């Protein structure tokens, strides 16, 4: 997953750009820029910003897919680590 997708997941988790930025050790503007890049890339707004931050329908779809992607990526990493262990051998 790229940084913009990871930031989207952080923002969606807390429904707060400020909190997500703090968790990621970036500025609030940087976090906002990541979200904006995804919205431009897909051509749809992912969050309603008023009266408070919430996911749009497109944001809900994106969240579901990115959560699945994150799980698959974790499975991939774990399996590759297992293969790496077999290649280098274990005692």
């Amino acid at each position: 997953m790229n940084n913009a997708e990871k930031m989207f997941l952080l923002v969606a988790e807390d429904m707060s750009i400020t909190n997500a930025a703090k968790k990621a050790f970036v500025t609030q503007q940087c976090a906002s820029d990541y979200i904006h890049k995804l919205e431009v890339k897909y051509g749809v707004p992912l969050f309603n910003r008023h009266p408070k931050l919430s996911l749009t329908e497109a944001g809900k779809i994106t969240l579901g897919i990115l959560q699945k992607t994150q799980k698959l990526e974790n499975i991939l990493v774990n399996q590759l680590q297992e293969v790496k262990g077999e290649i280098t051998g274990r005692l």
Side-chain angles (χ1 to χ4, degrees), residues 2 8 16-17 19 29 36 41-42 45 51 57 60-62 65-66 72 74 80 82 91:
N2 66 39
F8 173 85
S16 170
I17 293 174
N19 290 346
Q29 184 60 51
H36 179 70
K41 177 180 178 179
Y42 296 122
E57 198 57 39
K60 291 175 186 177
I61 293 167
T62 303
I65 297 297
L66 289 181
L72 287 172
N74 290 340
L80 291 177
E82 288 177 13
L91 294 178

Side-chain angles (χ1 to χ4, degrees), residues 56-88:
T56 62
E57 198 57 39
K60 291 175 186 177
I61 293 167
T62 303
L63 176 62
I65 297 297
L66 289 181
Q67 286 173 331
K68 290 175 186 175
T69 301
Q70 187 176 43
K71 287 178 185 176
L72 287 172
E73 190 171 281
N74 290 340
I75 291 168
L76 173 63
V77 168
N78 289 337
Q79 289 183 358
L80 291 177
Q81 287 176 345
E82 288 177 13
V83 168
K84 181 180 175 183
E86 290 176 10
I87 292 172
T88 58

Side-chain angles (χ1 to χ4, degrees), residues 32-46 49:
S32 292
D33 288 347
Y34 278 127
I35 299 303
H36 179 70
K37 286 177 187 178
L38 279 181
E39 291 176 328
V40 168
K41 177 180 178 179
Y42 296 122
V44 293
L46 299 173
R49 285 156 173 85

